[in-house]
Amino acid sequence: MTDFVELKNDLLLRVARGERVERPPIWVMRQAGRYLPEYHKAKGHHDFFSCCRSPEIASTLTLQPIDRYEGLIDAAIIFSDILVIPQAMGMTVEMLDKKGPHFPNPLKSPADGQYEELMDRSVDVGKELDYVYQAITMTRRKLKGRVPLYGFCGAPWTLLCYMVEGGGSKLFVQVKTWIYKYPNESKKLLQKISELCVEYLALQVKSGAQIVQVFDSWAAELSPTSFRNFSLPYLRYISHYLPLRLKELKLDAVPMVVFAKGAWYGLDDLCDSGYQVVGLDWLQDPAEAVRIARGRVILQGNADPGVLYGGKEAITTVVQEMVKGFGGGQQGWIVNLGHGVTPFVDPDNLKFFFEEIHRLAPTHDHSDSTL
């Protein structure tokens, strides 16, 4: 592994290891993105995926919130996208203005020819996604130890959704057809995606990622039974095989985070899924989540991103509720939103959110005890 400057702020990694700390660490999903004026300046005329494929631009975008909110946030997350894995598998993915991701040729059925091609194709994520690893290494160097760096991937279920729906969806007709009409073929593809996720995350760690997160953004579209059949086994595959792959590469294991948006019914299962940290969306009551988790994992979350539209009084109220619900924040909690920062948020409102966490969960003396 490349030699990097020693980490100066390891607060988040200490929490992820179960240690008792002086205050809860903070970062937010999509903290690098279009709500920031400097994002649009750095992006320039480049389209979204061109930014992802340029290590220099991706690194610059990753660092923007770290610079803007200096001293207020405790982690960076590499600027990239979950859909780079389908791209590496040979599928075309575009990011359309005001529409989002679009697959011009999504999977239609196991008999459409493309399915067999995908299953037979040997995918070299080391080669195909080298630009991500370059961006991670470049970002680690630029960070100079200020905060740790998250790597990430999309969860197999969520990637399958995009690959067959052709983009976002309200009804998820196509993917529901797949899992109920072609369950075996669906599981074979989910398994292949899982294997690619393991290698992709391992190479991110090799390049400098210090913690990794798996985003199951469409978990809410599954019933509890379907979640246990089509999502959870593949999340567990990643958490089991990633540490083994890192060991093969002679790399230390890193903390792993799972974020299954909308899968409130699966929190107990997720606490036993092999991840050290479980992300919560805003549908979870913090105190209830703590009760269910029973100290098995660190919890990450979970303010409603919409509160950032509401002004300071609303933000203060939500922060107070979170600090109380998560037990004060000296152990077992990484502060985050319940999903990513949404468009048109005032960056100063996000700054106030960070400041209120610092104010309402103040520094205390702490011991070195662990969970």
Side-chain angles (χ1 to χ4, degrees):
M1 183 185 288
T2 306
D3 289 330
F4 297 113
V5 173
E6 185 178 353
L7 189 59
K8 297 164 188 170
N9 176 0
D10 65 347
L11 182 68
L12 186 142
L13 297 183
R14 284 189 282 132
V15 169
R17 292 194 296 262
E19 296 180 23
R20 189 169 177 83
V21 294
E22 55 272 26
R23 66 168 177 84
I26 314 163
W27 73 284
V28 295
M29 293 175 277
R30 292 192 192 139
Q31 63 188 26
R34 53 187 170 168
Y35 76 101
L36 291 175
E38 55 265 39
Y39 167 84
H40 298 279
K41 184 176 180 181
K43 182 175 180 286
H45 65 278
H46 300 279
D47 64 34
F48 176 81
F49 282 116
S50 294
C51 292
C52 294
R53 294 188 190 104
S54 164
E56 183 61 51
I57 295 175
S59 176
T60 296
L61 297 175
T62 301
L63 290 168
Q64 285 179 342
I66 305 303
D67 294 335
R68 175 181 277 262
Y69 302 118
E70 180 73 41
L72 291 175
I73 55 177
D74 301 293
I77 183 166
I78 195 65
F79 184 86
S80 187
D81 194 82
I82 63 172
L83 297 179
V84 297
I85 284 185
Q87 288 176 330
M89 296 175 74
M91 298 189 77
T92 299
V93 189
E94 306 163 343
M95 192 65 73
L96 302 182
D97 228 16
K98 299 180 181 177
K99 183 179 178 182
H102 172 66
F103 288 65
N105 186 28
L107 289 168
K108 300 294 185 186
S109 78
D112 76 352
Q114 188 179 189
Y115 172 83
E116 189 173 342
E117 287 177 14
L118 281 176
M119 293 304 300
D120 290 343
R121 184 176 293 138
S122 177
V123 181
D124 183 352
V125 292
K127 176 184 175 183
E128 296 293 336
L129 301 178
D130 183 60
Y131 58 87
V132 178
Y133 317 130
Q134 290 185 45
I136 287 172
T137 300
M138 185 180 294
T139 302
R140 274 292 304 274
R141 289 182 179 136
K142 290 181 180 179
L143 278 169
K144 296 180 180 177
R146 284 190 284 171
V147 293
L149 178 63
Y150 271 73
F152 71 90
C153 73
W157 160 252
T158 289
L159 296 180
L160 177 67
C161 287
Y162 279 111
M163 290 164 72
V164 302
E165 293 290 343
S169 176
K170 291 184 178 179
L171 298 178
F172 291 86
V173 172
Q174 303 306 322
V175 77
K176 295 297 179 75
T177 300
W178 270 76
I179 63 173
Y180 290 120
K181 196 171 185 179
Y182 315 118
N184 292 333
E185 291 86 349
S186 296
K187 289 178 178 179
K188 287 176 183 177
L189 182 50
L190 286 164
Q191 179 60 31
K192 175 154 189 166
I193 295 169
S194 303
E195 293 166 8
L196 296 176
C197 286
V198 167
E199 186 67 9
Y200 179 45
L201 291 175
L203 294 178
Q204 289 185 53
V205 174
K206 182 180 180 182
S207 304
Q210 293 149 293
I211 181 170
V212 295
Q213 178 159 319
V214 180
F215 285 85
D216 209 352
S217 306
W218 295 122
E221 299 307 317
L222 291 166
S223 69
T225 298
S226 294
F227 179 75
R228 293 188 185 104
N229 286 329
F230 295 102
S231 175
L232 189 61
Y234 305 100
L235 294 173
R236 284 180 168 152
Y237 180 93
I238 294 170
S239 69
H240 178 76
Y241 282 98
L242 177 57
L244 297 178
R245 180 61 178 135
L246 291 174
K247 188 174 182 181
E248 287 179 354
L249 294 171
K250 297 181 169 52
L251 298 170
D252 292 333
V254 299
M256 298 177 292
V257 186
V258 61
F259 176 62
K261 184 177 179 290
W264 55 268
Y265 52 79
L267 180 55
D268 189 48
D269 284 331
L270 288 167
C271 288
D272 287 329
S273 63
Y275 294 82
Q276 291 74 45
V277 182
V278 174
L280 306 174
D281 62 33
W282 69 93
L283 302 179
Q284 295 269 7
D285 175 73
E288 177 66 8
V290 169
R291 185 192 68 78
I292 293 170
R294 303 192 309 279
R296 289 174 288 170
V297 294
I298 309 306
L299 296 174
Q300 177 178 278
N302 72 331
D304 179 354
V307 75
L308 299 175
Y309 298 125
K312 292 184 175 181
E313 187 176 340
I315 291 169
T316 297
T317 298
V318 166
V319 170
Q320 287 172 331
E321 291 172 352
M322 279 203 305
V323 171
K324 181 180 178 182
F326 286 111
Q330 286 189 272
Q331 195 166 17
W333 178 35
I334 297 170
V335 183
N336 209 305
L337 299 174
H339 199 216
V341 180
T342 45
F344 314 116
V345 160
D346 183 339
D348 288 338
N349 282 347
L350 183 55
K351 181 181 181 182
F352 183 74
F353 172 78
F354 295 144
E355 290 171 337
E356 286 296 85
I357 291 290
H358 282 262
R359 183 176 73 86
L360 294 166
T363 299
H364 295 286
D365 292 335
H366 66 283
S367 67
D368 292 327
S369 62
T370 57
L371 286 172

